[in-house]
Amino acid sequence: MMHSNDIETDSSVLIHTLHPIESEIEQCYNITRSIFKAYGQPEDFTNKYIIEQDMSDIQENYLKLSRSHWWVATIGQKIIGQAGVQPKSIGDRTFYNKLIMDETLRFYEDIHPDEICEIRRMAVLSKYENQHIGRKLLQTLIDFARTQDYKAVHLTTSLHMKPACNFYDRCNFTRGQIYRYTVYSNEVINKDKKDIAANREKTDQLTVFLDAPVIFNTLNDLTDDDWEKINHPKLITQVKSKNVYTQDFWMKL
């Protein structure tokens, strides 16, 4: 469990609600692009499958949506970090529906899926990493989650994003299951943009193009071949198909 008095950041860094104006929204888009670029994703892929989804209307999908929010970390007028939160039923609808249908899948047996929130699009510009800005954003989100009567926080991130995974480990999240998907590039590239337009009733449409996953309970269950693919990922635009590995993280509030 995180505590706000554990966090020290530069006093010039402020955490506040995003102002839904073009200049701030575009800065959030650019943060997202820079993060995925650092992990080898081309900008057109990030635009189509992230920015044109829930981020296409942050005001509607976060600021106006019940029990949801979007914060930014700023130095002066410059946004250097961001974090969003939504109910799990919105932020990860597919997983939410599975938890509703099958109680044995629930990580916390005593917590209903409606009491779980989903961390979305959390990121800090690389220049400002290791300055506790991510922790401050996360603590702000957790404090908000408690006021909204959430009892647990969940997020999913790619296993090849090792700094992100290590960050959540340090913040006392518990690792859940790992999912290995096969994604087919032809389907991804040819899918029309209008089919993935974001609104509060849709989840991330990238999952539409993924086969049913192979599920691993722990990192120790991954094979040497899996680790080779995680440590040396290929661009989806360079191959007809590739494996994508995602890691669940949980925290009880």
Side-chain angles (χ1 to χ4, degrees), residues 15 28 59 99 106 121 123 127 129 145 166 197 205 209 241:
I15 307 296
C28 290
Q59 185 170 15
L99 297 178
R106 298 181 184 180
R121 313 308 184 196
K127 179 181 178 180
E129 290 178 349
N166 292 338
Q205 296 300 302
F209 315 121
S241 67

Side-chain angles (χ1 to χ4, degrees), residues 119-249:
I119 296 178
R120 309 297 310 277
R121 313 308 184 196
M122 185 164 174
V124 175
L125 288 173
S126 58
K127 179 181 178 180
Y128 298 94
E129 290 178 349
N130 302 314
Q131 299 179 37
H132 302 293
I133 296 166
R135 279 180 172 267
K136 193 170 184 180
L137 279 164
L138 180 58
Q139 186 62 56
T140 301
L141 186 153
I142 289 171
D143 291 343
F144 171 85
R146 291 191 175 109
T147 69
Q148 300 299 307
D149 296 323
Y150 288 118
K151 295 184 179 179
V153 179
H154 174 262
L155 67 107
T156 301
T157 192
S158 295
L159 261 185
H160 78 279
M161 294 182 170
K162 293 180 181 179
C165 293
N166 292 338
F167 169 76
Y168 293 111
D169 285 335
R170 293 195 303 271
C171 291
N172 298 319
F173 278 74
T174 301
R175 291 192 184 228
Q177 292 180 318
I178 301 105
Y179 302 84
R180 184 181 71 202
Y181 296 92
T182 301
V183 59
Y184 297 95
S185 60
N186 287 341
E187 292 182 69
V188 172
I189 293 169
N190 293 333
K191 192 68 176 175
D192 193 272
K193 287 183 180 181
K194 66 183 180 182
D195 292 337
I196 59 146
N199 62 53
R200 67 183 62 182
E201 300 301 327
K202 292 186 178 182
T203 185
D204 282 354
Q205 296 300 302
L206 182 58
T207 56
V208 171
F209 315 121
L210 304 178
D211 281 347
V214 176
I215 301 174
F216 304 89
N217 289 321
T218 71
L219 294 174
N220 291 332
D221 297 328
L222 294 167
T223 67
D224 290 342
D225 182 58
D226 290 319
W227 281 113
E228 176 66 21
K229 293 174 182 177
I230 292 167
N231 292 327
H232 302 93
K234 295 180 179 179
L235 293 179
I236 188 59
T237 53
Q238 296 175 337
V239 292
K240 291 184 177 180
S241 67
K242 66 172 288 186
N243 291 129
V244 175
Y245 297 79
T246 63
Q247 170 78 68
D248 280 340
F249 284 92

Side-chain angles (χ1 to χ4, degrees), residues 76-87:
Q77 300 300 310
K78 182 179 178 63
I79 294 177
I80 60 173
Q82 63 188 29
V85 66
Q86 292 176 320

